[in-house]
Amino acid sequence: SPVLARLMRARLETLIPAGFGRLADLLGRYRQRAKDRILGLETRKRFWEDVIDGPIGNLVLAGKDREAEDKLAGLLDDREAPTDTGEVYLIGAGPGDPDLLTFRALRLLQKADVVVYDRLVAPAIVDLARREAERIYVGKRAGNHSCSQGDISGLLRDLAAEGKRVARLKGGDPFIFGRGGEEIEVLARAGLPFQVVPGITAASGCAAYAGIPLTHRDHAQSVRFVTGHRRGERLDLDWQHLASGQDTLVFYMGLGNAREICAQLIAHGMPADRGAGLVEHGTTSRQQVHVGTLATLPDRIATAQSPALLIIGDVVGLHSRLAWFEGSASADPSFLSGSIEQSDPASVRSAA
Ligand SMILES: C[S@@+](CC[C@H](N)C(=O)[O-])C[C@H]1O[C@@H](n2cnc3c(N)ncnc32)[C@H](O)[C@@H]1O
């Protein structure tokens, strides 16, 4: 179809940064010199990839062609025995929808020789890696055997030390309840290079796709990300602190403990009719949003499945007006009938 062809051409043009034509000219002028100086097809391929994706490519795209050319000429003149060094790209893959990946994540994923990924990374995202890239699954599933954190960090270190470019894909953002810091600490200690690519964390993704703004001028001036994961016997949290104030609270890994979380907040003084919502499989076609109050939500989510995010605060009442993403909704009718209509923070609490 000509219309589809036109739309696809327009889409491709937006994906190719302006300035790539000048970059192609520059590479063309130095192609022979690189061939003479860098023997070995694989090494030369790696050299050009680093030129395109690194400071030289960035200089051209920023309009600094002369500076880029000086650097490229210098690089080829100084080049002695080029060695392949590995690198790890710690990439946040977002909460599920592959469209939420960043450009940088996509670029590095397509450069990687090996992809190491978790359970929460959508298969469609892993599929974006090069066809010949090796794929290693290190995910965890409750109750099943999984790689320990130490095994994963060691694997990344060993692969990078072998000279591999490793895309370490993690769900959401690698620095938010993702243990990404621990993985790159091991690399830093071994003197191996790495980059960190932020991703859309589950709180941002689920809130956006559920139509629940995490902050709102009328309802919440701040938001806290909290782990709802039990350490040993107890949920070791500062309940007094969490229950006071009007912050929106977002509990990651809180599904299994949702009843206890709601009960503790009520026991520490939070009104039982404070809005509470659960977003299951957020940003995906399986997304379900359940809303209620601290008192009513636990019974409504008895069959909900992981991954799921618990959101507590008056902002949850906005879901009934702002939901836009198709998925199944399940709401406490008494809560919804009086949910925020007039940007009145009190209306949510009095609703249930
Ligand atoms: C180990 S944490 C990892 C968080 C991740 N690093 C991030 O920034 O989103 C896993 C928890 O994130 C939440 N989560 C991740 N993806 C989700 C999704 N698509 N829908 C709902 N919750 C999600 C769930 O609470 C899950 O238990």
Side-chain angles (χ1 to χ4, degrees):
S1 134
V3 177
L4 186 61
R6 179 169 52 77
L7 288 176
M8 286 180 70
R9 197 169 49 242
R11 177 73 60 88
L12 281 174
E13 279 167 8
T14 62
L15 290 176
I16 300 172
F20 252 53
R22 293 191 337 270
L23 182 57
D25 286 345
L26 175 67
L27 305 192
R29 287 202 299 282
Y30 281 79
R31 197 157 159 252
Q32 192 55 49
R33 206 190 299 182
K35 225 173 179 169
D36 297 341
R37 294 203 60 94
I38 309 171
L39 307 175
L41 190 61
E42 234 357 87
T43 316
R44 206 159 53 239
K45 203 173 103 198
R46 183 80 65 96
F47 169 80
W48 282 126
E49 283 174 357
D50 290 344
V51 166
I52 295 166
D53 277 341
I56 294 176
N58 289 339
L59 282 170
V60 175
L61 298 182
K64 299 179 179 176
D65 295 32
R66 165 119 332 265
E67 213 180 310
E69 181 154 3
D70 288 349
K71 256 195 166 33
L72 178 57
L75 206 60
L76 284 168
D77 287 346
D78 295 345
R79 214 168 162 87
E80 290 170 3
T83 51
D84 286 346
T85 50
E87 185 173 11
V88 174
Y89 317 129
L90 180 63
I91 300 176
D97 183 349
D99 270 9
L100 296 179
L101 217 55
T102 63
F103 283 121
R104 181 180 285 258
L106 183 61
R107 187 160 54 75
L108 293 179
L109 189 54
Q110 292 185 340
K111 204 171 142 183
D113 304 307
V114 187
V115 182
V116 178
Y117 63 102
D118 279 343
R119 181 169 72 88
L120 284 181
V121 177
I125 293 177
V126 180
D127 284 350
L128 293 170
R130 291 187 300 149
R131 208 177 326 170
E132 61 274 27
E134 186 186 349
R135 285 144 168 86
I136 304 177
Y137 175 71
V138 291
K140 303 172 193 188
R141 189 165 293 222
N144 285 2
H145 172 77
S146 63
C147 294
S148 74
Q149 190 57 52
D151 291 343
I152 298 171
S153 304
L155 174 71
L156 298 177
R157 183 197 54 219
D158 294 349
L159 288 167
E162 282 169 27
K164 301 265 172 51
R165 290 170 301 194
V166 186
R168 168 65 173 125
L169 278 178
K170 298 190 78 91
D173 181 277
F175 279 1
I176 296 186
F177 303 126
R179 304 187 74 171
E182 293 166 52
E183 295 181 8
I184 57 174
E185 257 175 55
V186 172
L187 300 171
R189 271 202 301 277
L192 291 162
F194 57 84
Q195 303 181 33
V196 184
V197 184
I200 293 188
T201 190
S204 302
C206 293
Y209 279 53
I212 301 176
L214 293 178
T215 66
H216 187 289
R217 220 152 42 114
D218 298 328
H219 309 294
Q221 271 59 55
S222 59
V223 54
R224 287 194 231 174
F225 295 171
V226 187
T227 171
H229 187 63
R230 200 179 281 273
R231 271 193 167 214
E233 282 296 288
R234 311 180 38 233
L235 255 180
D236 201 9
L237 294 169
D238 182 352
W239 295 111
Q240 201 65 53
H241 195 215
L242 290 172
S244 62
Q246 282 285 326
D247 296 346
T248 302
L249 304 180
V250 181
F251 285 89
Y252 287 70
M253 299 167 280
L255 178 61
N257 300 317
R259 188 172 292 281
E260 183 182 344
I261 291 169
C262 292
Q264 286 281 12
L265 290 172
I266 295 172
H268 286 82
M270 195 177 263
D273 57 2
R274 178 70 52 85
L278 187 92
V279 184
E280 210 179 323
H281 294 289
T283 80
T284 74
S285 57
R286 296 167 69 194
Q287 172 171 302
Q288 287 219 42
V289 182
H290 311 266
V291 299
T293 64
L294 281 181
T296 62
L297 188 73
D299 284 341
R300 303 188 56 77
I301 57 173
T303 57
Q305 285 179 1
S306 186
L309 201 76
L310 186 60
I311 304 179
I312 290 165
D314 287 344
V315 289
V316 171
L318 293 162
H319 165 74
S320 61
R321 277 203 283 134
L322 303 184
W324 59 273
F325 182 67
E326 268 187 38
S328 347
S330 128
D332 174 346
S334 60
F335 178 65
L336 275 188
S337 62
S339 60
I340 299 169
E341 291 295 344
Q342 308 295 332
S343 294
D344 170 9
S347 65
V348 172
R349 285 196 300 280
S350 61

